[in-house]
């Protein structure tokens, strides 16, 4: 853990947070226009209007994050991880409770918004400006961003339009742009799942640097190894509820027992008896005379 966590300076406080989605138009059937008007007139009771379904995505979640921490968010699909990140970034309203932040949270992929019709080079400049970097800062860090992303390793892709990139290349460039700036709170949703192991190691090293500069990093990932290598604390969400909050090793141990997921651990070697016997090769055909 970074030394500045000893100061115990909070960067994010979630206090009894509820996040509710309202899905409109289900079951309205005939008279859907009347149902829509009814929803408008009864905005305060939308959940009772015809065709409105409530989805309670996050339920009474509370935690405090401190400067210098790297916090992993884990949970099975639909557990509310990405929803909680968006709420911390200020992109989703909370139904109940409060979220307090010290500084400006940056959600990876939102602040560094990339445009498909522009070249990677142009997107580096625009993405850097969108995150609050000056033109001089972007120019100084341009080569570092491109090298970090690794997208030019097999050609001059940085001069091509983003629409020609694979999803992995775009994700790596997006992370590289976001990581070029020090953040008060950086929220990363599955970015480290892209790219080869070399890129993941560079990303993990950069996260450690961000923590040294008094930043706080949240990482959502289904890759337990990335969580182990990057985070010292883990929040486990399940069905919208905070099931466990603690040291990475302890929480992952319970989570893997819950899911039966051992995918990031080395597989046991089969015993010699279990190994199939090598099959004898057929004799080669005689050469033509």
């Amino acid at each position: 853990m970074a030394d500045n966590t000893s100061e115990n300076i909070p960067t994010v406080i979630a206090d009894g947070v509820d996040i509710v989605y309202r899905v409109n138009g289900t079951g309205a059937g005939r008279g859907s226009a009347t149902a829509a008007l009814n929803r408008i007139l009864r905005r305060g009771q939308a959940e009772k209007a015809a065709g409105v379904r409530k989805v309670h995505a996050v339920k009474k979640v509370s935690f405090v994050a401190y400067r210098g921490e790297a916090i992993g968010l884990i949970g099975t699909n639909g557990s509310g991880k990405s929803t909680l990140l968006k709420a911390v970034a200020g992109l989703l309203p909370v139904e109940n409770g409060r979220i307090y932040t010290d500084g400006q949270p940056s959600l990876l992929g939102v602040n560094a918004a990339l445009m498909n019709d522009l070249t990677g080079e142009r997107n580096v400049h625009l993405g850097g400006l969108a995150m609050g970097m000056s033109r001089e800062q972007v120019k100084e860090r341009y080569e570092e961003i491109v090298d970090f992303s690794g997208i030019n390793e097999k050609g001059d892709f940085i001069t091509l339009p983003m629409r020609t990139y694979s999803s992995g290349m775009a994700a790596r460039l997006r992370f590289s742009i976001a990581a070029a700036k020090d953040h008060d709170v950086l929220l990363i949703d599955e970015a480290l799942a892209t790219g080869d192991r070399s890129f993941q190691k560079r990303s993990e090293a950069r996260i450690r640097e961000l923590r040294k500069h008094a930043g706080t990093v949240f990482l959502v990932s289904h890759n337990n190894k990335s969580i182990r290598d990057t985070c010292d604390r883990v929040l486990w969400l399940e069905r919208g509820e905070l099931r466990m909050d603690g040291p990475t090793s302890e929480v992952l141990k319970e989570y893997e027992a819950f899911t039966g997921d051992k995918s990031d651990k080395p597989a046991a070697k089969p015993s010699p008896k279990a190994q199939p016997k090598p099959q004898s090769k057929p004799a080669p055909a005689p050469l033509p005379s």
Side-chain angles (χ1 to χ4, degrees):
M1 184 180 295
D3 294 339
N4 51 14
T5 55
S6 60
E7 300 176 12
N8 288 330
I9 299 176
T11 54
V12 178
I13 300 174
D15 182 15
V17 171
D18 283 317
I19 302 174
V20 176
Y21 289 108
R22 286 175 171 81
V23 183
N24 298 328
T26 56
R30 286 182 165 181
S32 58
T34 302
L37 177 60
N38 191 36
R39 287 196 295 271
I40 295 172
L41 296 175
R42 302 169 59 191
R43 191 181 300 272
Q45 298 178 331
E47 65 275 10
K48 296 181 181 180
V52 178
R53 184 166 63 92
K54 291 174 65 175
V55 178
H56 207 157
V58 174
K59 307 171 185 176
K60 302 296 180 186
V61 169
S62 298
F63 65 86
V64 180
Y66 298 94
R67 286 187 183 178
E69 282 192 309
I71 302 174
L73 269 69
I74 63 173
T76 54
N77 289 336
S79 60
K81 306 181 296 296
S82 298
T83 297
L84 182 59
L85 276 197
K86 291 177 182 177
V88 171
L91 301 176
L92 283 178
V94 299
E95 184 84 0
N96 298 299
R98 291 283 190 275
I99 295 178
Y100 305 93
T101 60
D102 180 21
Q104 177 60 47
S106 301
L107 179 60
L108 180 60
V110 175
N111 294 66
L114 305 185
M115 303 180 68
N116 283 335
D117 289 334
L118 300 182
T119 64
E121 179 180 8
R122 187 61 178 156
N123 272 293
V124 169
H125 288 278
L126 293 178
L129 294 174
M131 289 192 306
M133 297 168 63
S134 67
R135 293 181 183 276
E136 290 73 21
Q137 287 175 322
V138 176
K139 186 175 180 180
E140 289 173 1
R141 302 177 190 180
Y142 172 80
E143 292 296 336
E144 177 185 342
I145 291 171
V146 177
D147 291 344
F148 189 98
S149 70
I151 64 173
N152 264 5
E153 291 177 354
K154 296 183 180 181
D156 192 19
F157 284 98
I158 197 68
T159 62
L160 297 178
M162 286 286 300
R163 64 173 179 270
T164 65
Y165 291 11
S166 68
S167 58
M169 291 170 64
R172 295 200 304 273
L173 184 59
R174 189 176 291 114
F175 178 86
S176 302
I177 295 170
K181 179 180 181 293
D182 291 334
H183 299 267
D184 299 316
V185 179
L186 179 60
L187 312 165
I188 306 172
D189 196 347
E190 286 289 358
L192 301 189
T194 63
D196 55 20
R197 186 57 189 158
S198 174
F199 176 77
Q200 291 176 16
K201 286 183 177 179
R202 293 198 300 273
S203 303
E204 290 160 6
R206 178 54 183 148
I207 288 175
R208 287 191 287 271
E209 290 179 15
L210 289 169
R211 295 168 60 192
K212 290 178 182 178
H213 291 86
T216 304
V217 178
F218 287 85
L219 171 63
V220 169
S221 179
H222 289 285
N223 185 331
N224 292 350
K225 189 176 191 316
S226 291
I227 296 290
R228 278 193 175 90
D229 293 344
T230 308
C231 305
D232 46 16
R233 175 184 172 191
V234 169
L235 305 178
W236 174 12
L237 291 176
E238 202 61 48
R239 295 187 177 182
E241 298 179 348
L242 183 57
R243 184 158 181 160
M244 194 172 179
D245 175 359
T248 298
S249 59
E250 295 179 13
V251 179
L252 282 181
K253 180 180 179 181
E254 295 297 323
Y255 178 66
E256 288 170 346
F258 175 77
T259 61
D261 179 15
K262 309 293 183 183
S263 57
D264 68 326
K265 296 183 178 181
K269 294 182 179 179
S271 62
K273 294 181 179 179
Q275 295 179 355
K277 296 181 179 179
Q279 296 180 354
S280 58
K281 296 182 179 180
L287 294 175
S289 56

